[in-house]
Amino acid sequence: MRTVRIKDIGQIVSGSTPKSGQKEYWNGNIPWVTPKEISALQSPYLDTTERRITEAGYRSSSTILLPKNSILFTSRAPIGLVAINSMEVCTNQGFKSIILKDNAYPLYVYYVLKSNVRQLNSLGTGTTFKELSKTTFENFEIPLPSLHDQIKIATVLEKIEKLITHRKQSLKLLDELVISTFLEMFGDPMVNPNGYDIKPLSFFGTWKSGGTPSRSIKDYFNGHIPWVSSGELNELFISDTKEKITQKAIEKSNTKLIEEGSLLLGMYDTAALKSSISVGKMTCNQAISYSRLDDDLCNTLFIYYFVHIGKEYLKRKQRGARQKNLNLNMIKDLEVFNPPIEKQNQFANHVKIAESLKERMNLSLIELEYLFGSINQRALNRELNLSNLNIEHIISKSKGGSDSYENLHAVPISKNIRTINLPIDKKKPTKGAEKETNEWNKISINQLSDWIKTEFDSYHFTSEMLIKYLRDEIKVIIQKGQPLYYSSEEIKKKPKLDAEKDLKKIIYDALSGESPFLSLEQIYYDGEKENIKLNIRENDYDLVYHKSKKDRSGIYLKVKS
């Protein structure tokens, strides 16, 4: 693959705008586009424009009629929007467009430019707004494989991108389906067409507000207990937060633990009546009210959607259009209708089914986005073996999450963790990987993940065991100074890591659910209490059997099925 300048693949031209005050220049038959329209595109292709100019308008300006399959690239306000025109079109002065030669495939150039947006944007100059000059743009270098390979790369990326778009649309439709189901079952929350009994929120549970520990006391923050701010109430369930506090903060300040499954409601400004349901151990600030609602009186999922659908009306009814803030008493007095609990539970089952499907779709979306980025990067870095690139196989592996809504079963909001009081158990290893030498910088994340899943499935292992396995059994050459995995806590303290080649980052992504290839969990083993059955490979047994029970204790990793 060779590297060329953009001017080597086509002619770079700028656009122009006919005088807006001249009526005879506008509402003609020649399509004319602005950057704003490119930003709204849902695909690489531009097939219509909001405005058109006349022949007189075209002749009055320096704009150029671009042939089909040119590259439209915005060079200011902002730099880096890209499109391919599927009809002849003119642009305003905010573009540097490329009329391509025969050696360049439009869709390939489109993806190359999109992958280089940050770098191109950094080359812009100007004080009022940045602009990319024609000279800088035409001299920018890009990789250019053969036309056959350009088509193959672009085809794969386009198919994956279409799946990503479809997956995002499906997620949006699921949210709309749940709301539609609510309205069909119960009617408009603010109209109450079925004449259900009206109850204040205080009827269903005891409402409290959170608090903020003193920031002047260092021991209160940077802990492990999620501390919710009202701006984080954006999803149905909330389990993690940006800031975390310590157990000492809970014991010594006015913020207290929230019972799992509580409904959280924002009270101030734009966050008023934004809501979420708590998952796991957490607390919140004073801008949030919360209550663990009585399951015998209502279903929390029903109340959540009642507030979610009708929150704007509830805010106006409670305080007036000009008042933005609510207080705890106002939250308690908010009125909701109260259908039979059996019907509320029926609706909640629909929600749980939808959430289960969304979880599968989100996992598929993560995998697709990772796959898109990986292929894009590897292709542009000349690391992709195009001769072995099986397009349909790649796509078929990434079509997870397509189960129908009706066929899914409801799942609980959260999972309980249980431990088994059994002693350490030695197991024989599975068949090892081939003993060939592997250079660390040539190992893909997918390959490494497959090794871990195959070798450590059903076993507990430590970072020491993993490194030993890679070095001794897989024969991985890890260069001196190469950072290795130690623990997730150390990773949190050093978040700036070396992307794909850093084993610490790979393992942390697997622990945090951000890896599409590998899912791990951390389990604490107490050697003195023997709180769990600890299964390790026979090859790793020498690392622990001579240790005391106390020294055996610690965090172990396990592959999630």
Side-chain angles (χ1 to χ4, degrees), residues 471-524:
R471 283 176 169 161
D472 298 346
E473 300 179 46
I474 299 296
K475 302 298 182 184
V476 174
I477 299 175
I478 303 177
Q479 298 296 329
K480 184 178 181 180
Q482 169 68 40
L484 302 177
Y485 170 73
Y486 295 102
S487 74
S488 60
E489 292 306 314
E490 288 184 4
I491 293 171
K492 290 175 184 177
K493 295 174 184 177
K494 301 176 182 178
K496 295 182 179 179
L497 306 174
D498 295 334
E500 295 180 2
K501 294 182 181 179
D502 191 328
L503 185 55
K504 288 166 59 176
K505 179 68 165 60
I506 294 169
I507 299 300
Y508 182 64
D509 284 350
L511 288 168
S512 60
E514 295 179 3
S515 170
F517 304 114
L518 178 66
S519 182
L520 296 175
E521 60 181 327
Q522 292 186 110
I523 299 172
Y524 179 75

Side-chain angles (χ1 to χ4, degrees), residues 275-303:
S275 53
S276 290
I277 297 172
S278 66
V279 177
K281 180 180 179 180
M282 66 179 57
T283 185
C284 66
N285 68 15
Q286 68 276 10
I288 296 174
S289 56
Y290 62 90
S291 175
R292 180 62 175 90
L293 305 180
D294 190 331
D295 294 333
D296 293 329
L297 299 176
C298 69
N299 190 294
T300 303
L301 286 170
F302 167 79
I303 300 295

Side-chain angles (χ1 to χ4, degrees), residues 116-135:
N116 283 284
V117 165
R118 287 188 179 181
Q119 189 174 351
L120 286 162
N121 190 71
S122 70
L123 297 175
T125 59
T127 53
T128 306
F129 53 81
K130 293 174 68 175
E131 182 168 7
L132 187 66
S133 71
K134 180 180 178 182
T135 300

Side-chain angles (χ1 to χ4, degrees), residues 45-197:
Y45 299 97
L46 175 75
D47 55 15
T48 187
T49 60
E50 294 178 1
R51 304 181 72 182
R52 293 173 176 263
I53 60 175
T54 63
E55 287 286 346
Y58 177 72
R59 292 192 301 269
S60 73
S61 66
S62 59
T63 191
I64 293 175
L65 188 62
L66 300 167
K68 293 180 182 179
N69 292 321
S70 296
I71 300 296
L72 314 181
F73 184 87
T74 61
S75 54
R76 67 178 188 183
I79 296 172
L81 300 177
V82 195
I84 303 169
N85 58 314
S86 55
M87 79 291 193
E88 293 183 333
V89 68
C90 295
T91 74
N92 76 355
Q93 59 274 20
F95 290 83
K96 297 289 184 293
S97 301
I98 311 172
I99 302 175
L100 295 173
K101 297 178 181 179
D102 292 338
N103 65 338
Y105 184 58
L107 194 58
Y108 172 80
V109 177
Y110 167 87
Y111 285 118
V112 169
L113 292 178
K114 283 192 71 175
S115 69
N116 283 284
V117 165
R118 287 188 179 181
Q119 189 174 351
L120 286 162
N121 190 71
S122 70
L123 297 175
T125 59
T127 53
T128 306
F129 53 81
K130 293 174 68 175
E131 182 168 7
L132 187 66
S133 71
K134 180 180 178 182
T135 300
T136 301
F137 184 57
E138 65 184 6
N139 285 302
F140 187 80
E141 294 185 341
I142 62 171
L144 191 72
S146 67
L147 189 60
H148 175 269
D149 286 350
Q150 290 179 48
I151 293 172
K152 198 163 189 177
I153 293 169
T155 301
V156 173
L157 292 176
E158 182 183 32
K159 286 190 175 184
I160 298 173
E161 193 168 51
K162 284 181 178 179
L163 282 174
I164 290 172
T165 300
H166 180 265
R167 194 66 78 238
K168 289 179 178 178
Q169 291 172 343
S170 297
L171 286 166
K172 183 178 179 182
L173 287 173
L174 269 175
D175 288 332
E176 294 174 356
L177 175 62
V178 171
I179 292 175
S180 175
T181 301
F182 182 99
L183 295 174
E184 182 179 342
M185 291 182 67
F186 307 108
D188 188 335
M190 300 307 108
V191 176
N192 191 12
N194 297 313
Y196 297 124
D197 290 342

Side-chain angles (χ1 to χ4, degrees), residues 13-57:
V13 298
S14 301
S16 180
T17 303
K19 289 184 179 180
S20 57
Q22 298 293 117
K23 292 183 179 180
E24 62 272 23
Y25 291 168
W26 297 94
N27 299 319
N29 297 316
I30 302 173
W32 180 85
V33 67
T34 67
K36 179 182 177 182
E37 294 172 72
I38 305 300
S39 67
L41 291 179
Q42 300 298 314
S43 81
Y45 299 97
L46 175 75
D47 55 15
T48 187
T49 60
E50 294 178 1
R51 304 181 72 182
R52 293 173 176 263
I53 60 175
T54 63
E55 287 286 346

Side-chain angles (χ1 to χ4, degrees), residues 520-537:
L520 296 175
E521 60 181 327
Q522 292 186 110
I523 299 172
Y524 179 75
Y525 172 67
D526 188 330
E528 296 180 332
K529 295 181 179 179
E530 295 181 336
N531 61 312
I532 63 169
K533 179 180 180 180
L534 190 63
N535 297 328
I536 60 174
R537 302 182 319 139

Side-chain angles (χ1 to χ4, degrees), residues 381-506:
N381 289 340
R382 311 177 191 181
E383 297 172 355
L384 189 64
N385 187 347
L386 294 169
S387 63
N388 296 326
L389 190 61
N390 187 326
I391 297 174
E392 297 307 322
H393 177 66
I394 289 174
I395 298 302
S396 65
K397 284 181 65 178
S398 304
K399 286 187 175 180
S402 58
D403 305 73
S404 67
Y405 178 88
E406 293 80 6
N407 291 335
L408 283 175
H409 298 288
V411 295
I413 292 176
S414 61
K415 298 178 180 179
N416 293 322
I417 300 173
R418 60 190 180 94
T419 60
I420 303 173
N421 294 316
L422 293 175
I424 187 169
D425 180 57
K426 179 174 71 172
K427 280 193 174 183
K428 292 183 178 181
T430 56
K431 186 178 180 180
E434 295 182 4
K435 303 293 193 304
E436 59 183 9
T437 300
N438 297 277
E439 293 182 28
W440 176 247
N441 60 1
K442 293 183 180 179
I443 296 172
S444 70
I445 297 177
N446 195 357
Q447 184 179 15
L448 177 66
S449 300
D450 284 342
W451 287 341
I452 295 173
K453 286 188 289 186
T454 300
E455 190 63 21
F456 290 98
D457 182 38
S458 78
Y459 296 105
H460 297 89
F461 61 101
T462 64
S463 56
E464 183 182 12
M465 295 173 186
L466 177 58
I467 300 304
K468 181 176 181 292
Y469 164 71
L470 291 175
R471 283 176 169 161
D472 298 346
E473 300 179 46
I474 299 296
K475 302 298 182 184
V476 174
I477 299 175
I478 303 177
Q479 298 296 329
K480 184 178 181 180
Q482 169 68 40
L484 302 177
Y485 170 73
Y486 295 102
S487 74
S488 60
E489 292 306 314
E490 288 184 4
I491 293 171
K492 290 175 184 177
K493 295 174 184 177
K494 301 176 182 178
K496 295 182 179 179
L497 306 174
D498 295 334
E500 295 180 2
K501 294 182 181 179
D502 191 328
L503 185 55
K504 288 166 59 176
K505 179 68 165 60
I506 294 169

